[in-house]
Amino acid sequence: MNLKKSSSPNQIKTASSIEPPNSQLPPKVAALSPTEWLKANLFSNTFNSILTILSTAAILLIIRGLLSFIFNPLRQWSATATNMRLLMTQAYPEHQYARIWVSLGFLLFLTGVSLAFWRAARSVLVSQVGKRLLAIGAFILLVTLLAPFSDRATIIWLAIGVFIAGTGFLLKSAQEDKTISSMTLLSGTFLLAILSLWVIPYGHHSYISTRTPKILAEPGTVAMTTKLPWTIMLAVTICSYFLGSLIRDKIDESKGKALLSMTWLISPLFLLFLVLRDPDFDTGHLFSTDIPIFLFFSIVGSLLLLWLTNPDIGEKGRVISTAVLFVGFATFLFQMLMIVRILTLVLAFFALAAPTFSGQKPARIRYTKVWIGTMVILCWLITAINTPSTAKVPGDFFIGGFAITLMIFFFTMVLAFPLGVLLALARTSKFPIFRMVSTTFIEFIRGVPLITILIFFSVMVPLFLPDGMDLTEIAAVTIAFIIFEAAYLAENVRGGLQSVTRGQHEAAEAVGMTNAQKTFFIVLPQALRVAIPPMVGQIIATFKETGLLAIIGIFDFLYIARSVIPGQTEYMGSTRENLLFVSLVYLVICFAMSKASQRVEKRVGLGER
Amino acid sequence: MTENETASSIRGDRDLANAQDIIVCEGVSKWFGDFQALNNVSATIKEQEVVVVLGPSGSGKSTWIRCINRLEQHQEGRIMVDGVELSNDLRNIEKVRSEVGMVFQMFNLFPHLTVRDNISLAPIWVRKKPRAEAEEQASSLLERVGIPEQADKFPGQLSGGQQQRVAIARALAMEPKIMLFDEPTSALDPEMIKEVLDVMKELALSGMTMMVVTHEMGFAKEVADKIMFMEGGQIVEIGTPEHFFTNPTEERTKLFLSQIL
């Protein structure tokens, strides 16, 4: 009875707001008032009301528990603050620390330009921002009331909450069509956060690594070595965004995007091996061996590929490229430089793919350019890896902490993705031998826990290596991650491959495409688009799985938080604080990744309908 | 001059009697498991001829037409297309496929590529044409099928009739000698059938060799040089449209016509 009564005014409202029949717009549904909304969504019947009350109580209790953990005077939050550098980069040399900032700055520069090129900015309704602020303000008020603050802190936090909620309330009633760019909002938020570093006394913490390490923790604003670089980083990001929007309108956008994607793929290698590692190049060796090898392969390879991409070459070309492949395998039987073996195999791969990409002169020259580009990157990378580092740090690698987590994650993704695609193609191939090898590999890897593979690679594999071959633990573990993730990605891609209809295969075959062309131009683009959501899930899982490095004793983010910092005399027993901080960082990054992937999904769905 | 008169006059110009055989099937048989889909099919199609294949569903029409560019493999008999015999040799298949265009019932456009890229992809990578030339050709083909303004859209944004016309343009871009149509109008709304049939008529008038599986009797009457009637995997009757629709000899043809007309 009661329900009926309350719903009748609603119906009248809806009926009265129906526009005249000749209008093109759908009738507007009147918005519910807050009390009506509460009634409709939270207290619609007795059972729902009980559920609402119970779950509200549970949520409040959980928040209260978390807050009393965080703000307990026993917590040593200065352990996290003081050891921030240790957490991020482990013991990277103090006097070289500018290299870290340069690398971060370059990545942020790329981020800014990319945000502009991919038009990440959206316009957000100001009234919507107001609502958001109102909610944030209310949440701060709630937290303040629940948290065990001192009187003074309570008053300050209540004032902040009221201020934010008040701003939100004012903005909420802004004009309906007034919008603001999401980039302005985002940079404004970061600007406020970084300004606060200069003004608000968070406390001055630093870890001075002299001969006897000294820990500094005193009141005041944060250390100059923190606030100054971060201010510069923010400036770099904002400037590069504006620069990106300027360039975007001047040049061919798709070319710019391709260039940016390439830079994203290559720059971490560049930063890692040239900037962070500070390699000690041996000029004599460089000019006597490395550069001649590079020149030989680029020139001979270019000529060969120019010849092979001639469409009229026919059988002769296939015979020659198969011969190159055999030479590539044969190099492993003789004593010679590893770089020669690798480059010969890569050349054989390019030669075998040449008929697929053959064509008129511009196409042939483009293919040759891709070859030379690959040569430049490969030769430089191999040389850089073989050159000893001058960054002397404890442990067997020159970075650690969050930086090594990111590095292993990056290498895993960049190398596991192509390997996974190849495995998926092999598993769906017509050739029984490919299918068998790939299926065995995938099922074997998927049947073994990741931690087993990691331990196997870090302990056993170095023992099996032939004489003269050397694999650092980091490299071995990265390979373990790559093969593990490749097996999982392969299954995701296979799902995508199966979603490509038979009609698509037939249409490609009917216009005379070869198998390789069909796969490359028709099947893979469609399969990968379908596979994006599961692959993003896999990527996020990979990021979190890097935490397992802590178990095999690599100085990663988690290991430093769990074992290294609590081992310092000043901060005995500060494990929980550090772990909470680490989980917050993982949470923020994974959440950002999944948000970004949702937008990517929307974008790639554009062409379909 | 009406369109019909144009058709007959151009058809009159073609010297089909002296034309060369371009598709030759001799005793072609095919099984799906235990089910025999094609039973000893023998027929020849001459250059510039327009052949319409009729028959009830499940009679093997589509299977036969798909055997001609080897989307299905026949198990017995011989199929010669433009002097090349279809066998397991991979190179023969690719050569034949680039000479034979095919239009499917479900269009099968590439959904991730724009209309222009759908048409120019194969000429660029299979025919090895320079990109600029291939895109120019795509534009002129779109003009020919009557939708030049849709070049930069994706297939999903077009109507069924427009999609099928793009599919025809895609097949034509390879400059084929033969065009195969596998029920090109069966998945279309009635008001879109005409626009596709008009394009096919124009193509027939231009002298393309065509083999069409369809249920459009009007098209068969007006355009076909020869009608082949299939049932149970066999060719039951071959004849001109006049003969087929007015005076069929076989009992099964009469039954079929009585059911559809």
Side-chain angles (χ1 to χ4, degrees):
Chain A
M1 277 306 281
N2 202 1
L3 271 177
K4 263 185 193 166
K5 260 185 202 165
S6 72
S7 66
S8 53
N10 249 350
Q11 281 171 351
I12 293 165
K13 235 187 247 172
T14 335
S16 64
S17 63
I18 290 176
E19 309 245 337
N22 58 355
S23 150
Q24 294 294 308
L25 292 168
K28 274 183 192 161
V29 180
L32 295 174
S33 76
T35 40
E36 280 169 343
W37 185 89
L38 278 180
K39 182 143 197 156
N41 290 294
L42 295 176
F43 298 99
S44 55
N45 61 31
T46 328
F47 183 64
N48 285 356
S49 309
I50 294 174
L51 278 186
T52 304
I53 292 167
L54 280 183
S55 43
T56 312
I59 292 171
L60 287 180
L61 272 179
I62 292 173
I63 295 181
R64 163 120 194 135
L66 195 64
L67 287 172
S68 48
F69 172 80
I70 294 175
F71 294 104
N72 192 321
L74 291 175
R75 291 284 92 76
Q76 298 177 295
W77 286 108
S78 62
T80 313
T82 307
N83 288 299
M84 203 53 91
R85 284 202 167 173
L86 198 65
L87 279 168
M88 291 302 158
T89 59
Q90 206 209 350
Y92 198 79
E94 190 93 5
H95 61 281
Q96 298 274 38
Y97 217 78
R99 289 174 186 274
I100 301 267
W101 289 115
V102 168
S103 306
L104 182 64
F106 187 74
L107 290 180
L108 287 175
F109 169 78
L110 273 184
T111 312
V113 178
S114 305
L115 285 177
F117 262 81
W118 270 273
R119 297 175 193 277
R122 281 175 300 172
S123 47
V124 188
L125 283 174
V126 172
S127 54
Q128 207 64 39
V129 177
K131 278 180 195 160
R132 214 34 93 70
L133 281 180
L134 194 61
I136 294 174
F139 184 73
I140 291 179
L141 288 178
L142 176 76
V143 164
T144 314
L145 292 176
L146 287 173
F149 283 155
S150 67
D151 291 346
R152 190 163 162 268
T154 311
I155 290 170
I156 292 175
W157 277 105
L158 281 179
I160 293 175
V162 168
F163 176 73
I164 292 179
T167 322
F169 188 74
L170 286 180
L171 290 179
K172 199 170 83 111
S173 48
Q175 277 169 345
E176 212 170 78
D177 54 344
K178 211 170 184 184
T179 60
I180 183 170
S181 160
S182 60
M183 281 300 138
T184 316
L185 269 182
L186 204 65
S187 44
T189 316
F190 279 117
L191 197 64
L192 277 181
I194 284 182
L195 271 183
S196 78
L197 291 182
W198 291 89
V199 182
I200 297 171
Y202 291 110
H204 186 130
H205 299 278
S206 60
Y207 180 87
I208 302 160
S209 61
T210 46
R211 191 154 301 178
T212 47
K214 208 181 122 200
I215 283 165
L216 184 72
E218 52 192 37
T221 57
V222 297
M224 188 55 98
T225 47
T226 305
K227 59 189 174 189
L228 184 65
W230 278 113
T231 313
I232 297 172
M233 292 299 126
L234 181 71
V236 165
T237 318
I238 293 177
C239 291
S240 57
Y241 180 74
F242 283 116
L243 190 71
S245 351
L246 270 182
I247 303 174
R248 184 182 67 197
D249 303 329
K250 297 254 162 56
I251 63 169
D252 182 5
E253 208 170 307
S254 57
K255 267 190 189 154
K257 281 181 181 173
L259 188 69
L260 269 177
S261 312
M262 280 305 290
T263 320
W264 268 114
L265 278 182
I266 297 169
S267 61
L269 304 173
F270 174 79
L271 294 174
L272 191 71
F273 288 110
L274 225 66
V275 179
L276 290 180
R277 196 164 184 260
D278 189 16
D280 181 18
F281 282 115
D282 177 354
T283 340
H285 190 261
L286 209 62
F287 281 100
S288 70
T289 319
D290 293 327
I291 291 180
I293 288 177
F294 163 70
L295 287 178
F296 174 80
F297 272 95
S298 5
I299 292 169
V300 174
S302 301
L303 292 177
L304 180 71
L305 291 176
L306 266 182
W307 181 64
L308 284 174
T309 42
N310 187 342
D312 310 322
I313 192 105
E315 273 323 81
K316 225 188 308 167
R318 286 180 203 202
V319 173
I320 297 280
S321 18
T322 318
V324 178
L325 185 68
F326 275 109
V327 172
F329 284 130
T331 51
F332 284 87
L333 301 175
F334 304 101
Q335 192 80 34
M336 67 174 69
L337 285 173
M338 197 64 188
I339 186 168
V340 178
R341 294 172 177 163
I342 295 175
L343 295 186
T344 318
L345 276 182
V346 177
L347 178 62
F349 180 77
F350 266 78
L352 284 170
T356 303
F357 298 98
S358 65
Q360 298 302 317
K361 211 171 170 199
R364 292 163 73 181
I365 289 177
R366 202 176 327 126
Y367 194 64
T368 316
K369 274 187 193 159
V370 173
W371 162 252
I372 295 179
T374 315
M375 273 305 92
V376 171
I377 295 169
L378 266 182
C379 286
W380 161 71
L381 198 63
I382 295 173
T383 311
I385 291 175
N386 284 334
T387 311
S389 163
T390 53
K392 290 277 175 281
V393 292
D396 76 354
F397 206 59
F398 56 96
I399 49 171
F402 191 57
I404 207 164
T405 300
L406 275 187
M407 186 201 91
I408 290 185
F409 173 63
F410 168 79
F411 272 92
T412 306
M413 280 351 290
V414 168
L415 295 171
F417 179 73
L419 184 60
V421 170
L422 280 183
L423 281 172
L425 288 176
R427 197 170 179 177
T428 51
S429 138
K430 278 184 220 142
F431 295 99
I433 181 87
F434 284 174
R435 221 165 41 218
M436 216 174 65
V437 169
S438 159
T439 310
T440 317
F441 177 83
I442 291 173
E443 293 308 327
F444 179 76
I445 297 293
R446 295 207 314 159
V448 178
L450 175 57
I451 188 69
T452 319
I453 300 178
L454 287 177
I455 292 174
F456 178 80
F457 267 83
S458 78
V459 180
M460 308 280 279
V461 167
L463 300 179
F464 293 153
L465 287 178
D467 267 354
M469 207 171 154
D470 193 23
L471 202 61
T472 61
E473 195 183 14
I474 295 285
V477 165
T478 311
I479 292 173
F481 264 111
I482 290 168
I483 63 169
F484 185 81
E485 299 307 334
Y488 276 85
L489 283 177
E491 288 299 277
N492 295 337
V493 175
R494 190 166 67 102
L497 287 175
Q498 280 167 349
S499 78
V500 178
T501 57
R502 197 164 161 225
Q504 291 291 316
H505 288 263
E506 286 176 353
E509 284 162 14
V511 287
M513 288 192 191
T514 62
N515 245 329
Q517 287 167 340
K518 181 180 79 178
T519 308
F520 195 78
F521 296 120
I522 306 299
V523 178
L524 267 187
Q526 296 184 51
L528 292 182
R529 177 191 285 179
V530 173
I532 284 178
M535 281 200 298
V536 170
Q538 189 59 36
I539 288 173
I540 293 175
T542 309
F543 184 69
K544 291 182 291 185
E545 278 160 4
T546 51
L548 287 177
L549 291 171
I551 296 182
I552 52 173
I554 285 175
F555 286 80
D556 84 323
F557 197 34
L558 185 61
Y559 186 81
I560 289 175
R562 192 193 61 159
S563 309
V564 177
I565 300 176
Q568 296 166 344
T569 17
E570 291 85 350
Y571 297 124
M572 291 275 209
S574 64
T575 321
R576 281 179 289 178
E577 291 87 332
N578 295 314
L579 287 185
L580 196 64
F581 172 73
V582 166
S583 14
L584 185 72
V585 172
Y586 274 115
L587 176 75
V588 167
I589 290 179
C590 292
F591 182 73
M593 279 201 274
S594 91
K595 275 283 164 205
S597 84
Q598 281 170 12
R599 292 197 69 184
V600 171
E601 275 166 43
K602 265 190 208 157
R603 289 248 172 133
V604 294
L606 250 183
E608 276 191 318
R609 194 167 269 265
Chain B
M1 200 158 56
T2 67
E3 205 178 64
N4 253 333
E5 280 169 331
T6 329
S8 55
S9 66
I10 289 180
R11 228 190 278 169
D13 286 348
R14 288 183 294 169
D15 187 9
L16 286 177
N18 291 331
Q20 292 194 324
D21 294 346
I22 194 162
I23 302 176
V24 180
C25 296
E26 290 171 7
V28 175
S29 295
K30 159 136 193 100
W31 287 262
F32 290 113
D34 288 337
F35 173 72
Q36 185 162 16
L38 291 179
N39 185 0
N40 201 19
V41 172
S42 297
T44 50
I45 292 167
K46 292 182 168 157
E47 251 179 278
Q48 303 206 328
E49 205 168 27
V50 178
V51 174
V52 170
V53 184
L54 297 176
S57 56
S59 60
K61 317 180 291 284
S62 286
T63 310
W64 182 32
I65 204 174
R66 287 157 60 84
C67 279
I68 287 169
N69 67 350
R70 214 173 170 77
L71 289 179
E72 305 282 0
Q73 297 178 14
H74 59 284
Q75 287 142 336
E76 271 178 17
R78 263 157 50 96
I79 299 178
M80 303 270 291
V81 178
D82 196 21
V84 181
E85 177 167 2
L86 294 183
S87 64
N88 281 323
D89 191 333
L90 215 73
R91 280 161 299 171
N92 280 354
I93 299 168
E94 274 160 21
K95 185 165 184 298
V96 165
R97 280 178 180 161
S98 59
E99 302 295 340
V100 180
M102 177 132 187
V103 176
F104 299 87
Q105 180 181 358
M106 298 307 298
F107 329 134
N108 292 347
L109 293 177
F110 306 131
H112 60 298
L113 299 176
T114 61
V115 165
R116 189 196 309 280
D117 291 343
N118 260 284
I119 299 174
S120 61
L121 187 71
I124 291 173
W125 294 105
V126 180
R127 283 263 186 261
K128 310 294 182 192
K129 275 193 184 174
R131 180 174 289 271
E133 196 181 306
E135 289 189 346
E136 206 168 295
Q137 183 200 20
S139 304
S140 66
L141 279 171
L142 282 175
E143 193 107 22
R144 186 170 169 190
V145 299
I147 38 174
E149 71 285 357
Q150 311 285 4
D152 294 315
K153 287 195 181 162
F154 285 93
Q157 297 165 310
L158 304 185
S159 74
Q162 290 172 328
Q163 289 194 45
Q164 194 60 295
R165 287 189 275 165
V166 173
I168 295 174
R170 176 176 70 181
L172 288 177
M174 290 295 289
E175 291 158 8
K177 292 186 177 158
I178 306 164
M179 285 284 282
L180 307 176
F181 292 83
D182 186 5
E183 306 203 17
T185 54
S186 301
L188 295 176
D189 292 340
E191 74 268 24
M192 291 169 184
I193 292 179
K194 188 176 172 297
E195 62 188 52
V196 172
L197 290 182
D198 285 346
V199 170
M200 289 166 63
K201 269 179 220 166
E202 187 268 328
L203 202 59
L205 296 182
S206 73
M208 176 67 75
T209 313
M210 287 165 64
M211 191 170 165
V212 185
V213 172
T214 186
H215 295 295
E216 294 296 324
M217 295 304 150
F219 177 82
K221 264 184 207 165
E222 190 183 336
V223 184
D225 296 310
K226 209 192 263 179
I227 290 185
M228 297 186 180
F229 177 71
M230 288 186 82
E231 193 179 14
Q234 287 173 309
I235 297 183
V236 176
E237 187 160 1
I238 300 181
T240 60
E242 294 79 40
H243 163 81
F244 183 82
F245 284 107
T246 54
N247 186 21
T249 43
E250 296 287 326
E251 212 42 53
R252 277 181 287 179
T253 318
K254 285 176 192 162
L255 185 68
F256 175 72
L257 287 173
S258 72
Q259 279 166 346
I260 55 156
L261 291 179

